[in-house]
Amino acid sequence: MAKTKPAEIVGKIVDLLTPFTSEERGRVISAALTLLGEGSSKHGIDKNSEGDDDDHRDTFINLSGKVKSWQKQNGVTGDQLAQMFHIADGKADVIAGEMPGKNKKEQTLNAYVLAGVAQFISTGEPKFTDKDARSLCVAAGCYDSPNHAVTLKAKGNWFTGSKDKGWVLTAPGLKHATTLLKTSTPDYQ
């Protein structure tokens, strides 16, 4: 019996994995290595690159490359995301009990930033609607109807856009989100 060459096997594996997304491919390869009794990280497949606990590895495996890059660049862990967002079925929802901030104005602006991060996690793009952000403010108890429009004018450079066309979280907004995540969640080290 002739020995199968590794290059032939690679070709067959590529054919099998082609219909799947990048994340699904990673899971398949990782599962196969596990079944073979080998750790995935020694083969360059590190599901736990952010240092997450085993309990949270699979929760965050479907994050887009942009989100994973943001996490890595800013030291945002999966546990920190899990404390602020419920992530399931490709959607992230803000689950913070209270919005960070000393007053309703700060809490409202932080709610808008977190609404942008929720969309960033969900879609890979930090675009969000005013309706979603406003709903988050209402749910968090920081919506101040008479002053809401004035509050949004104090957003600085965290997000850009308009109520009608929607908002986009900027790089400074993502940086601020990092601060919110790190100061509003327990330290898991």
Side-chain angles (χ1 to χ4, degrees), residues 66-152:
K66 288 180 183 180
V67 175
K68 288 179 183 178
S69 177
W70 168 72
Q71 275 186 276
K72 187 174 181 179
Q73 289 171 355
N74 293 285
V76 174
T77 67
D79 283 326
Q80 288 169 328
L81 289 178
Q83 293 297 313
M84 192 68 74
F85 302 96
H86 173 70
I87 303 170
D89 300 324
K91 183 167 176 15
D93 294 305
V94 180
I95 58 169
E98 294 179 6
M99 275 305 121
K102 294 181 260 178
N103 53 48
K104 285 189 177 191
K105 179 179 180 179
E106 286 183 15
Q107 292 170 339
T108 296
L109 294 173
N110 289 336
Y112 270 67
V113 168
L114 292 174
V117 174
Q119 282 301 107
F120 184 46
I121 293 168
S122 299
T123 66
E125 296 296 329
K127 298 176 182 176
F128 60 104
T129 66
D130 190 77
K131 179 182 176 187
D132 289 343
R134 195 176 295 238
S135 294
L136 179 56
C137 291
V138 170
C142 61
Y143 181 67
D144 183 10
S145 180
N147 298 310
H148 192 75
V150 173
T151 296
L152 289 181

Side-chain angles (χ1 to χ4, degrees), residues 39-56:
S40 59
S41 63
K42 73 180 184 180
H43 295 282
I45 303 165
D46 189 2
K47 286 172 37 176
N48 198 16
S49 63
E50 302 304 322
D52 296 339
D53 292 335
D54 289 350
D55 297 340
H56 292 102

